[in-house]
């Protein structure tokens, strides 16, 4: 059912015409939706760190599996403490949940059968919003890839892994 894309390039929904998307959905009714954030990760990393990481992981998944890659949802849920930092922009958990449900509903009406929601932001309310997305017809999976990227990890070797930040 799924095909790898040409030259290992991820297939991107936002770069297709609607007839190309319709043909793709008939051939492979799955889509991968990265969910990022715009929040502080210390003074040394960009506000979009979670978005950068989840986009890269999602591109790799798409490239290796042929799953269609949807445009990243760049805003997620952040804590009150994180919201005190300049540039942080946050959604409430219920708002993220509603946005994701509406996207799933849209794709469900178009015949998709599986939607994978992926984040690298290991914050409980964000994960809860993603995990609560449901559909009568579509299989929805929520994946938290936070701090689970293997021995070639981009995560620093901090003693306290719960507070480790990626080091580019």
């Amino acid at each position: 059912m799924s095909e790898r894309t040409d030259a290992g390039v991820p297939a991107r929904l936002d770069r297709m015409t609607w007839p190309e998307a319709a043909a793709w959905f008939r051939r492979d009714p799955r889509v991968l939706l990265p969910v990022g954030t715009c929040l502080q990760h210390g003074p040394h990393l960009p506000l979009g760190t979670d978005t950068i990481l989840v986009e890269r992981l999602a591109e790799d998944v798409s490239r290796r599996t042929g799953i269609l890659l949807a445009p990243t949802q760049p805003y997620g849920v952040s804590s009150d403490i994180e919201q005190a930092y300049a540039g942080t922009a946050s959604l409430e958990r219920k708002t993220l949940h509603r946005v994701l449900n509406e996207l799933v509903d849209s794709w469900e009406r178009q015949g998709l059968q599986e939607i994978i929601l992926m984040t690298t932001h290991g914050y409980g309310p964000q994960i809860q919003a993603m995990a609560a997305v449901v559909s009568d017809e579509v299989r929805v999976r929520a994946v938290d890839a936070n701090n689970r990227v293997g021995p070639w990890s981009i995560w620093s070797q901090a003693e306290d892994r719960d507070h480790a930040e990626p080091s580019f």
Side-chain angles (χ1 to χ4, degrees):
M1 177 189 289
S2 66
E3 299 176 9
R4 288 183 173 214
T5 57
D6 294 335
V9 176
R12 295 179 175 274
L13 179 60
D14 58 344
R15 307 227 172 108
M16 294 179 171
T17 63
W18 74 263
E20 290 170 335
W24 188 281
F25 292 167
R26 284 190 299 274
R27 186 174 68 246
D28 187 349
R30 303 174 298 164
V31 71
L32 173 59
L33 175 62
V35 181
T37 63
C38 184
L39 57 87
Q40 70 81 29
H41 285 83
H44 63 298
L45 292 172
L47 295 166
T49 295
D50 289 321
T51 301
I52 293 165
L53 293 173
V54 76
E55 283 179 342
R56 177 58 194 266
L57 287 172
E59 287 171 353
D60 286 348
V61 169
S62 175
R63 186 178 301 110
R64 293 173 188 219
T65 65
I67 297 173
L68 186 61
L69 181 58
T72 300
Q73 162 57 38
Y75 297 101
V77 182
S78 62
S79 70
D80 291 339
I81 293 170
E82 290 166 328
Q83 291 181 40
Y85 291 88
T88 295
S90 181
L91 300 174
E92 293 290 325
R93 181 179 69 188
K94 65 183 177 183
T95 304
L96 178 60
H97 179 252
R98 182 171 181 166
V99 166
L100 297 174
N101 267 325
E102 290 185 15
L103 291 170
V104 167
D105 288 346
S106 292
W107 288 322
E108 179 180 30
R109 288 190 300 270
Q110 297 169 30
L112 288 181
Q113 296 175 2
E114 183 173 17
I115 298 169
I116 302 157
L117 310 172
M118 178 187 283
T119 191
T120 56
H121 179 48
Y123 183 53
Q126 172 133 338
I127 297 163
Q128 292 165 358
M130 293 170 56
V133 174
V134 296
S135 169
D136 291 334
E137 303 295 325
V138 174
R139 180 178 184 179
V140 180
R141 296 183 193 207
V143 177
D144 173 21
N146 182 48
N147 209 11
R148 292 174 181 83
V149 291
W152 46 271
S153 176
I154 57 173
W155 296 94
S156 64
Q157 298 300 314
E159 282 186 40
D160 182 1
R161 301 289 295 179
D162 291 336
H163 296 97
E165 289 292 346
S167 178
F168 292 114

